[in-house]
Amino acid sequence: RHVVSASWLSLVVVAAAAGVFALAGGDLVRLVLGDAYGGDLGRLVVALAPWMAISVGASLAYPLVFVRGRPRGLLRLSLAALVVHPFVVWAGREAWGAVGIALALALTTALVLVALLASLGALRAFEGLAVAVLTVTALGAAAFGIGAWAGPLVGLAVYAALLLLLRPPGLRSAWRYVRALS
């Protein structure tokens, strides 16, 4: 429950950031860093969104392995990830360039997340994580799809309005859970 609830709250922010950068990433980077930067940053940030979403779950599950007293396999898991990752990145880069590298990062992190959740006996968390990812992706796509015509700030406002109006049940439950922790 902890991984899913905290993921909901994090994924809401990930979707907002991905949407804004998809629409204006290059412009924002050029504004801050100058004309030498920017390029197709929006596409790259969108390609990194799956990794961002998966890494949220992994970052939340990792400390729970210690809390539950099951860190024995972490060294083997770390070594396996280090061995497998360069090959996955190479294949991704060969297939899709920079986007392939971003997707390879997501794949390796997903494998680590599966192993972490399995060690916790919590593979059922994937159902809640999938609902969270699909919900914020759908809301973000709808909002920032409108923003593609009207601008990133409008997309962000529409996204916030959709979250407030629809109040997805998983998000409400996550908010209650996190508030109960404090």
Side-chain angles (χ1 to χ4, degrees), residues 145-162:
I146 292 168
W149 292 289
L153 293 179
V154 171
L156 190 58
V158 171
Y159 179 67
L162 286 172

Side-chain angles (χ1 to χ4, degrees), residues 4-96:
V4 173
S5 293
S7 291
W8 260 103
L9 300 175
S10 300
L11 292 172
V12 165
V13 176
V14 167
V20 168
F21 272 88
L23 298 180
D27 294 336
L28 290 173
V29 170
R30 273 191 291 283
L31 180 69
V32 174
L33 299 176
D35 289 334
Y37 301 92
D40 200 11
L41 183 66
R43 192 176 109 196
L44 186 57
V45 170
V46 171
L48 282 167
W51 169 76
M52 288 186 267
I54 294 164
S55 68
V56 164
S59 297
L60 291 164
Y62 181 76
L64 293 178
V65 172
F66 290 98
V67 170
R68 304 268 307 270
R70 299 182 181 171
R72 292 183 49 133
L74 287 179
L75 180 60
R76 286 189 303 273
L77 173 61
S78 300
L79 292 174
L82 286 172
V83 168
V84 168
H85 185 66
F87 297 105
V88 175
V89 168
W90 174 79
R93 187 194 70 210
E94 291 299 312
W96 300 293

Side-chain angles (χ1 to χ4, degrees), residues 1 3-4 117 121-131:
R1 182 173 181 203
V3 171
V4 173
L117 290 176
L123 285 173
R124 283 189 21 199
F126 272 112
E127 182 181 323
L129 292 171
V131 169

Side-chain angles (χ1 to χ4, degrees), residues 77-179:
L77 173 61
S78 300
L79 292 174
L82 286 172
V83 168
V84 168
H85 185 66
F87 297 105
V88 175
V89 168
W90 174 79
R93 187 194 70 210
E94 291 299 312
W96 300 293
V99 170
I101 293 170
L103 294 175
L105 186 58
L107 177 60
T108 305
T109 307
L111 294 173
V112 168
L113 177 57
V114 167
L116 290 172
L117 290 176
S119 75
L120 292 168
L123 285 173
R124 283 189 21 199
F126 272 112
E127 182 181 323
L129 292 171
V131 169
V133 166
L134 292 173
T135 301
V136 297
T137 299
L139 294 176
F144 290 102
I146 292 168
W149 292 289
L153 293 179
V154 171
L156 190 58
V158 171
Y159 179 67
L162 286 172
L163 287 171
L164 289 172
L165 290 171
L166 299 175
R167 289 191 265 161
L171 182 57
R172 285 185 305 203
S173 174
W175 188 251
R176 281 192 304 273
Y177 173 79
V178 171
R179 286 186 57 162

